[in-house]
Amino acid sequence: MQLNLSIPALLFPAISLTMLAYNARYLAIAALIRQLHKQFEETSAQPLKQQINQLRKRLGIIKNMQASAIVSFLLAAVTMFLIYVEMRVWANAIFGISLVFLMISLILSLLEVQLSTRALGIQLKSMEK
């Protein structure tokens, strides 16, 4: 495949939108942790501590999602530079690595969504009792 400047440039808007979505998730979970922590300090309820621990796991996953997306974005920019200086072999290799990091980021996103859905399911079950 002949790699030109427009191919890695196509990743820029996709990665940027992905980063916005990841950041929104991070901020929402951080706000929820702050709220639950305040409740935990007042009541010392064990379920709140468990929820905070689950949210801490999710924050770790989101941090890794963001890091993978940033590396992918950076490598896409490096690819464009390598194409510009006509280092095609390196450009192809770096672009492939960029795509791998983007896939890692998306897989982590899938895992985080599954954790979130599982947590909501547990909470909904407790309401049925």
Side-chain angles (χ1 to χ4, degrees):
M1 178 179 116
Q2 185 66 18
L3 195 60
N4 60 42
L5 281 174
S6 63
I7 294 173
L10 289 173
L11 288 182
F12 282 27
I15 295 172
S16 296
L17 290 173
T18 301
M19 291 293 296
L20 282 173
Y22 292 171
N23 195 41
R25 277 190 200 167
Y26 181 87
L27 292 174
I29 290 175
L32 184 57
I33 287 174
R34 287 185 191 97
Q35 177 186 5
L36 290 175
H37 185 266
K38 187 176 180 179
Q39 288 177 9
F40 179 74
E41 286 179 335
E42 294 168 359
T43 65
S44 296
Q46 191 61 26
L48 288 177
K49 188 174 183 178
Q50 291 171 336
Q51 282 183 313
I52 291 169
N53 287 336
Q54 279 293 91
L55 291 170
R56 184 179 291 132
K57 272 187 207 176
R58 288 179 55 200
L59 273 182
I61 292 172
I62 292 171
K63 179 188 70 163
N64 291 327
M65 289 164 32
Q66 290 174 323
S68 297
I70 290 168
V71 170
S72 177
F73 194 69
L74 179 63
L75 291 176
V78 169
T79 298
M80 292 177 69
F81 175 74
L82 292 171
I83 292 169
Y84 177 74
V85 296
E86 298 184 6
M87 296 178 75
R88 303 276 179 203
V89 174
W90 280 104
N92 284 330
I94 298 298
F95 185 65
I97 295 168
S98 174
L99 291 175
V100 168
F101 274 98
L102 182 57
M103 288 185 281
I104 290 169
S105 178
L106 294 172
I107 289 167
L108 288 171
S109 178
L110 177 64
L111 293 174
E112 195 275 330
V113 167
Q114 288 177 333
L115 270 177
S116 173
T117 304
R118 198 173 308 136
L120 286 173
I122 291 169
Q123 198 162 16
L124 289 173
K125 273 186 183 176
S126 71
M127 291 174 58
E128 292 174 357
K129 294 179 181 179

